[in-house]
């Protein structure tokens, strides 16, 4: 009660503690499978509220973790103050300079809606419900990353509150070390209240989803390998094997192409040879409607996911992923990487480059602890069966509950991130979803 009263005296937003009305709902992340036994929840009214909270936590010897929505919640939140930034929702698009500024509560859906009329896009992923800030701090793996790299590589500036509660605008010129760390190293170094980033031309966009019966999985997989072998950087193709409860097995290809419809159809002509498609939504796509390509659920749900980088797609990979029972895993996705993701960038952050050409993501429902454990066991077996075909690290943006930040970075980059953390936050006032020091 003392904590509640003290915070309420200095915070203009909402402060909730255990037992208070609304606390249980406020502490829960988007991924309902993850528990968050936090000490309190603070819904900041603005960036000054964030600064006030950090100053209070530092003096009180407490730790703050920031979570705009909790799509990638790790569960690393016991006894912490959970900071919600949903009210920091200011968005500005400058079509002349092709720059956007998004507050920490802004979702990618909002950015795409605002940028679409100008023929511009940000480097959004598959879900319009994910926030720009949380996604970008983890690097951000976009539909358009083969052309433009990680979303973090397009950042021009971060507006932050540091571990002593001071507000600052961080750029490559003003603070190169912190700027580097925030471009894909997670939120362990400062609380980001807004991001300023480049938008990219998208005067024409083609894409959609093609669905077949699960019996065609091998054919679709072979065509996926053929198309991705020589795909231009403007084309992204994702393969999905899906078996939802009480539903027939399906296989799909999700595609986007930064270009005209005719060129996109020509690049994907091999799909038409498969035949018997159950549905085909390919066509011109407005940037604002990018989320409709995969039509992922936007309502909170309990789920368990795991990702691996793959060095290739040989016949053994096909046998492991297509010919063996997946249950209780309900979704297997392969994303084609390469392009700009594989290119070394001297001005990039710790996210890249990524040498592996494919990413495997497996997904299962986590409706109860027993089912969640079974899904996790099947995901681990996939990694074991794939063996040396699994790369040495994972994109930070794809880490899942129970994993560590160390899995996402090379040794030198991890050492650098840890040194920045110790220098900027020696008392551990700020803790990321996946802290670099754990």
């Amino acid at each position: 009660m003392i904590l509640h009263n003290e915070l309420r005296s200095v915070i203009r937003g909402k402060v909730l503690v255990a037992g208070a009305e609304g606390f249980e709902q406020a502490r829960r992340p988007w991924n309902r499978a993850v528990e968050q036994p936090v000490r309190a929840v603070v819904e900041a009214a603005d960036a000054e509220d964030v600064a006030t909270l950090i100053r209070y936590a530092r003096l009180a010897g407490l730790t703050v973790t920031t979570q705009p929505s909790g799509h990638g919640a790790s569960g690393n939140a016991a006894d912490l103050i959970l900071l919600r930034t949903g009210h920091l929702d200011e968005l500005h698009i400058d079509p002349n300079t092709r720059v956007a500024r998004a507050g920490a509560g802004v979702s990618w859906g909002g950015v795409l809606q605002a940028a679409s009329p100008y023929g511009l896009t940000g480097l959004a992923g598959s879900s319009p419900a994910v926030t720009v800030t949380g996604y970008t701090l983890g690097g951000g793996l976009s539909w358009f990353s083969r052309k433009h790299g990680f979303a973090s590589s397009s950042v021009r500036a971060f507006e932050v509150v540091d571990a002593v509660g001071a507000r600052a605008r961080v750029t490559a010129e003003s603070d190169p070390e912190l700027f580097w760390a925030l471009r894909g190293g997670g939120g362990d170094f400062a609380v980001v209240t807004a991001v300023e980033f480049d938008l990219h031309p998208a005067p024409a966009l083609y894409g959609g989803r093609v669905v077949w019966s699960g019996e065609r999985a091998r054919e679709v997989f072979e065509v996926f390998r053929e198309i991705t072998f020589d795909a231009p950087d403007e084309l992204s193709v994702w393969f999905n094997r899906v078996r939802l409860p009480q539903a027939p097995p399906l296989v799909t290809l999700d595609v986007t192409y930064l270009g005209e419809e005719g060129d996109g159809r020509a690049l994907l002509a091999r799909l038409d040879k498969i035949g018997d498609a159950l549905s085909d939504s390919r066509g011109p796509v407005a940037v604002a409607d990018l989320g409709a390509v995969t039509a992922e659920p936007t309502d909170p749900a309990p789920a368990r996911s795991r990702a691996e980088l793959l060095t290739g797609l040989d016949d053994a990979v096909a046998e492991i992923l297509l010919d063996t029972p997946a249950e209780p895993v309900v979704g297997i996705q392969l994303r084609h990487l390469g392009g700009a993701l594989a290119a070394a960038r001297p001005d990039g952050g710790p996210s890249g480059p990524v040498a592996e050409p494919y990413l495997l993501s497996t997904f299962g429902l986590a409706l109860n602890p027993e089912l969640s454990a079974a899904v996790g066991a099947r995901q681990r077996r996939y990694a074991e069966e794939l063996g040396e075909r699994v790369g040495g690290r994972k994109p930070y943006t794809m880490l899942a509950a129970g994993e560590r930040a160390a899995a996402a970075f090379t040794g030198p980059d991890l050492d650098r991130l840890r040194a920045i953390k110790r220098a900027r936050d020696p008392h551990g006032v700020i803790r990321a979803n996946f802290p670099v020091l754990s």
Side-chain angles (χ1 to χ4, degrees):
M1 196 64 181
I2 294 174
L3 172 67
H4 177 266
N5 290 336
E6 289 181 347
L7 280 174
R8 282 301 302 131
S9 70
V10 295
I11 298 293
R12 293 189 296 116
K14 186 178 292 186
V15 178
L16 299 168
V17 296
E21 183 180 355
F23 172 78
E24 288 300 316
Q25 178 67 22
R27 74 177 180 87
R28 300 176 75 191
W30 188 92
N31 184 354
R32 295 295 200 237
V34 177
E35 275 297 316
Q36 296 191 138
V38 299
R39 177 188 292 257
V41 179
V42 173
E43 298 177 359
D46 51 27
E48 191 54 40
D49 254 4
V50 175
T52 300
L53 174 61
I54 295 299
R55 289 193 291 267
Y56 174 87
R58 181 170 179 267
L59 291 173
L62 299 173
T63 300
V64 176
T65 189
T66 306
Q67 190 177 91
S69 62
H71 277 74
S74 67
N76 183 35
D79 207 34
L80 307 184
I81 298 175
L82 178 62
L83 170 62
R84 296 288 194 190
T85 54
H87 293 300
L88 280 67
D89 57 0
E90 181 182 351
L91 173 63
H92 177 71
I93 303 288
D94 188 333
N96 296 316
T97 60
R98 299 196 309 213
V99 172
R101 179 190 176 277
V106 173
S107 69
W108 271 115
V111 173
L112 297 179
Q113 287 281 348
S116 186
Y118 304 109
L120 299 172
T121 184
L123 299 186
S126 54
S127 173
V130 172
T131 60
V132 173
T133 297
Y135 168 92
T136 303
L137 287 173
L141 191 57
S142 172
W143 276 115
F144 312 127
S145 285
R146 285 177 33 76
K147 177 65 175 178
H148 298 294
F150 283 100
S152 55
S153 66
S154 289
V155 174
R156 290 191 172 198
F158 296 95
E159 294 177 22
V160 309
V161 174
D162 66 17
V164 298
R167 296 174 61 181
R169 186 172 187 271
V170 177
T171 67
E173 293 74 30
S174 70
D175 194 336
E177 280 293 278
L178 182 56
F179 185 70
W180 176 86
L182 292 173
R183 294 174 88 198
D188 219 13
F189 316 96
V191 177
V192 175
T193 57
V195 182
E196 183 180 297
F197 55 96
D198 289 322
L199 298 170
H200 299 275
L205 177 61
Y206 168 79
R209 165 174 281 186
V210 189
V211 182
W212 296 267
S213 166
E215 299 170 352
R216 313 304 290 266
R218 272 284 185 163
E219 293 175 79
V220 178
F221 179 82
E222 291 301 330
V223 170
F224 173 71
R225 284 203 296 194
E226 291 174 14
I227 291 173
T228 57
F229 178 76
D230 58 1
D233 294 350
E234 292 80 5
L235 178 66
S236 290
V237 187
W238 299 353
F239 170 95
N240 301 278
R241 179 188 175 196
V242 183
R243 180 65 184 268
L244 295 172
Q246 313 302 317
L250 300 172
V251 59
T252 78
L253 285 186
D254 299 328
V255 302
T256 64
Y257 174 66
L258 279 168
E260 299 292 340
E261 178 179 7
D263 295 332
R265 287 198 174 275
L267 288 167
L268 298 167
R270 281 167 281 199
L271 297 187
D272 301 323
K273 298 178 181 179
I274 299 174
D276 296 327
L278 300 177
S279 64
D280 185 349
S281 67
R282 286 178 296 163
V285 178
V287 167
D289 298 329
L290 186 62
V293 173
T294 59
E296 292 182 7
T298 55
D299 292 332
R304 183 160 184 165
S305 62
R306 175 167 172 157
E308 319 285 351
L309 290 170
L310 298 183
T311 58
L313 296 181
D314 60 19
D315 291 341
V317 172
E319 291 176 8
I320 292 166
L321 299 182
L322 303 181
D323 298 342
T324 59
E327 293 80 2
V329 165
V330 299
I332 297 171
Q333 182 181 80
L334 290 165
R335 296 188 185 188
H336 185 210
L337 304 181
L341 290 166
R345 291 182 55 130
D347 61 338
S351 292
V354 177
E356 294 85 354
Y358 296 95
L359 180 135
L360 166 67
S361 178
T362 54
F363 168 87
L365 301 175
L367 302 174
N368 55 61
E370 293 76 20
L371 180 57
S372 178
V375 170
R378 186 68 187 95
Q379 291 169 327
R380 287 192 296 274
R381 287 202 303 276
Y382 273 130
E384 292 165 0
E385 292 164 3
L386 290 165
E388 63 184 14
R389 299 168 185 83
V390 173
R393 64 189 184 95
K394 306 184 179 193
Y396 187 101
T397 193
M398 302 295 286
L399 291 177
E403 295 185 317
R404 300 173 60 196
F409 307 112
T410 64
D413 282 347
L414 182 60
D415 290 342
R416 184 177 175 186
L417 288 169
R418 286 173 169 170
I420 295 169
K421 174 63 175 178
R422 294 188 186 102
R424 303 304 178 105
D425 186 16
H427 302 293
V429 178
I430 297 166
R431 183 182 298 175
N433 203 23
F434 297 95
V436 298
L437 293 180
S438 66

